[in-house]
Amino acid sequence: MGLRKVATMSLDYAFGYDVTQGFCRTFEEAGGQVIQKIWTPLGALDLAPYLAQIDREADALFTLYWGSFSFRLVKQIVEAGLKDKMKILGGVTTVDEHVLRNMGDEAIGIISSCNWSAALDTPEAQAFIKEYRRRYNLDPSYYSEMSYSLFKWLFLAIQKIEGDVENKEKLMKTILGMKFNAPRGSLELDKFKNANQNVYIRRVDKVGEKLQNTV
């Protein structure tokens, strides 16, 4: 993307730190420079004062928000004129489907990374999306897919040991050794018990009258 200098703005709590610092470490390892970090309190109803502090020398602004924070953030980024001056990047939840469904054209073009997108075109993803839409008339979000895959993981492990859940050691060993195709893609745990999974780079596009996270 040709980015050299990036500013970050995120909610001031553990998830905000983890996602933002993960981005910063990777960006810096690739030769980029993080020139500014701004943390906003969970009680902040107006993000405009924080956006006003963004260094206009930045090539991009990395953000990590969710829910009503994301609505205000994206609208106020446009109002502050930042979208015309720099690329807008997001962590997993900034333009997730749980907020994207209520956003307007102001979100178009935002680049984010996540292990899920409701525009993912694989057989497993499409089957899940189709059934989710049938039941709830909504696109499944990161939270929806994550919850579904978690319980599918547990269900498949219990099935594999033929319901012998009283044998906790066998159940745990089976869970830790599971590998299956979730809607997001292949999923398994590494030796540190962290998920090995795909991470998708996504761009908010308007397809017809609807916004989507194009992979």
Side-chain angles (χ1 to χ4, degrees), residues 8-21 37-44 47 50 63-66 69:
T8 71
M9 191 169 123
S10 172
L11 284 166
D12 188 5
Y13 79 127
F15 183 59
Y17 285 127
D18 287 347
V19 176
T20 301
Q21 300 290 49
K37 293 179 185 176
I38 295 175
W39 307 99
T40 61
L42 290 172
L47 298 175
Y50 302 95
T63 62
L64 191 281
Y65 290 86
W66 41 258
F69 288 107

Side-chain angles (χ1 to χ4, degrees), residues 74-122:
V74 175
K75 286 182 178 178
Q76 292 184 319
I77 281 174
V78 174
E79 291 168 359
L82 289 172
K83 205 172 175 209
D84 296 327
K85 294 181 179 297
M86 59 189 70
K87 296 285 187 183
I88 308 300
L89 312 177
V92 292
T93 54
T94 300
V95 285
D96 178 58
E97 281 76 10
H98 82 281
V99 290
L100 191 62
R101 63 177 68 113
N102 294 313
M103 288 182 174
D105 290 356
E106 68 274 7
I108 293 173
I110 294 178
I111 303 288
S112 64
S113 65
C114 189
N115 54 23
W116 170 248
S117 166
L120 190 59
D121 190 16
T122 64

Side-chain angles (χ1 to χ4, degrees), residues 4-203:
R4 294 293 176 265
K5 296 179 179 180
V6 168
T8 71
M9 191 169 123
S10 172
L11 284 166
D12 188 5
Y13 79 127
F15 183 59
Y17 285 127
D18 287 347
V19 176
T20 301
Q21 300 290 49
F23 167 81
C24 290
R25 186 181 70 181
T26 307
F27 187 68
E28 289 172 334
E29 286 174 353
Q33 182 184 3
V34 178
I35 62 174
Q36 189 179 30
K37 293 179 185 176
I38 295 175
W39 307 99
T40 61
L42 290 172
L45 297 178
D46 185 5
L47 298 175
Y50 302 95
L51 289 167
Q53 300 173 39
I54 299 297
D55 190 333
R56 267 47 177 185
E57 293 298 312
D59 300 316
L61 172 64
F62 177 86
T63 62
L64 191 281
Y65 290 86
W66 41 258
S68 62
F69 288 107
S70 288
F71 302 140
R72 295 196 295 275
L73 172 78
V74 175
K75 286 182 178 178
Q76 292 184 319
I77 281 174
V78 174
E79 291 168 359
L82 289 172
K83 205 172 175 209
D84 296 327
K85 294 181 179 297
M86 59 189 70
K87 296 285 187 183
I88 308 300
L89 312 177
V92 292
T93 54
T94 300
V95 285
D96 178 58
E97 281 76 10
H98 82 281
V99 290
L100 191 62
R101 63 177 68 113
N102 294 313
M103 288 182 174
D105 290 356
E106 68 274 7
I108 293 173
I110 294 178
I111 303 288
S112 64
S113 65
C114 189
N115 54 23
W116 170 248
S117 166
L120 190 59
D121 190 16
T122 64
E124 292 81 9
Q126 287 300 306
F128 174 67
I129 293 164
K130 182 179 179 180
E131 179 62 17
Y132 194 94
R133 285 172 176 164
R134 186 188 70 80
R135 294 189 185 201
Y136 308 112
N137 198 32
L138 293 170
D139 283 341
S141 68
Y142 156 78
Y143 300 101
S144 307
E145 194 281 340
M146 185 167 55
S147 299
Y148 173 84
S149 293
L150 170 65
F151 282 98
K152 183 176 181 181
W153 197 326
L154 181 59
F155 175 78
L156 290 174
I158 292 171
Q159 200 174 44
K160 195 169 184 179
I161 63 172
E162 298 179 339
D164 186 18
V165 294
E166 297 301 321
N167 188 333
K168 295 179 181 178
E169 185 177 341
K170 182 165 70 171
L171 175 61
M172 186 56 67
K173 185 178 179 180
T174 304
I175 289 172
L176 295 177
M178 288 291 296
K179 180 178 180 178
F180 70 98
N181 286 324
R184 74 183 77 167
S186 179
L187 192 55
E188 64 180 326
L189 296 180
D190 65 16
K191 64 181 180 180
F192 302 108
K193 300 181 177 64
N194 288 320
N196 272 339
Q197 58 191 340
N198 294 336
V199 175
Y200 303 103
I201 305 302
R202 317 173 308 173
R203 183 188 63 239

